[in-house]
Amino acid sequence: MDGVAARRPVAWVAAVVLVLEALGVLFLNYVLSIVVDKQHMSMAGVDPGAMSTGAWVLGAVFALYLVCCAALLARTAVRDRPPGTFGRIVLVTCAVVHAVLGAFAVGLVGWTAFALLMAVLALLVLTLTAYGATYGENGGAPAAARTTAPTPPTR
């Protein structure tokens, strides 16, 4: 296991937490769409039905993004191998989204929401660092650097 004993459980916990978060986002946007529709809320003259549908669709898209991130984490935990380049990029963007949402949550929702978002961020960062790049015998030096240096020419 390359000296890291807790990386599989952390990846599994992060995957489960992201699925639960996706369900929470879906529920929150469903409630938001109902409130917007029932109160006939409008912003800059936009139809309340369009705002209700937009809240529901954007919530579903974000929830799908979180579920895809959870699937990447679950795949990483099952294989016990680091994600590829695309998987790393997706997980890093997920971590950045949680950091930005945490910054907004402090002012808008409160410290509890901030703490929860930071806990998810910590799980993502811990998973990414635990499954960091594996280095070979030469400390990860490229193949060209692993060869011996040429000897100077003799006269």
Side-chain angles (χ1 to χ4, degrees):
M1 289 212 306
D2 296 333
V4 182
R7 66 186 189 181
R8 284 181 107 172
V10 169
W12 276 116
V13 168
V16 169
V17 167
L18 284 180
V19 168
L20 293 174
E21 185 178 358
L23 292 173
V25 165
L26 269 178
F27 178 72
L28 182 67
N29 279 289
Y30 172 70
V31 170
L32 180 64
S33 70
I34 289 174
V35 168
V36 166
D37 200 34
K38 297 283 185 194
Q39 296 293 323
H40 301 290
M41 294 179 182
S42 177
M43 199 179 323
V46 177
D47 180 43
M51 289 187 59
S52 174
T53 304
W56 178 241
V57 168
L58 288 177
V61 168
F62 187 59
L64 182 64
Y65 170 70
L66 291 174
V67 168
C68 287
C69 292
L72 279 170
L73 288 168
R75 182 174 181 247
T76 299
V78 166
R79 293 174 55 216
D80 198 23
R81 292 181 47 184
T85 303
F86 178 73
R88 282 186 190 274
I89 291 171
V90 170
L91 292 176
V92 167
T93 61
C94 189
V96 169
V97 164
H98 278 83
V100 171
L101 284 177
F104 283 125
V106 145
L108 297 174
V109 183
W111 288 101
T112 306
F114 172 78
L116 291 173
L117 286 166
M118 291 303 108
V120 176
L121 173 65
L123 287 170
L124 288 168
V125 170
L126 184 59
T127 302
L128 283 168
T129 55
Y131 283 102
T134 55
Y135 297 108
E137 302 161 326
N138 263 348
R146 283 188 287 240
T147 60
T148 57
T151 57
T154 56
R155 294 186 188 193

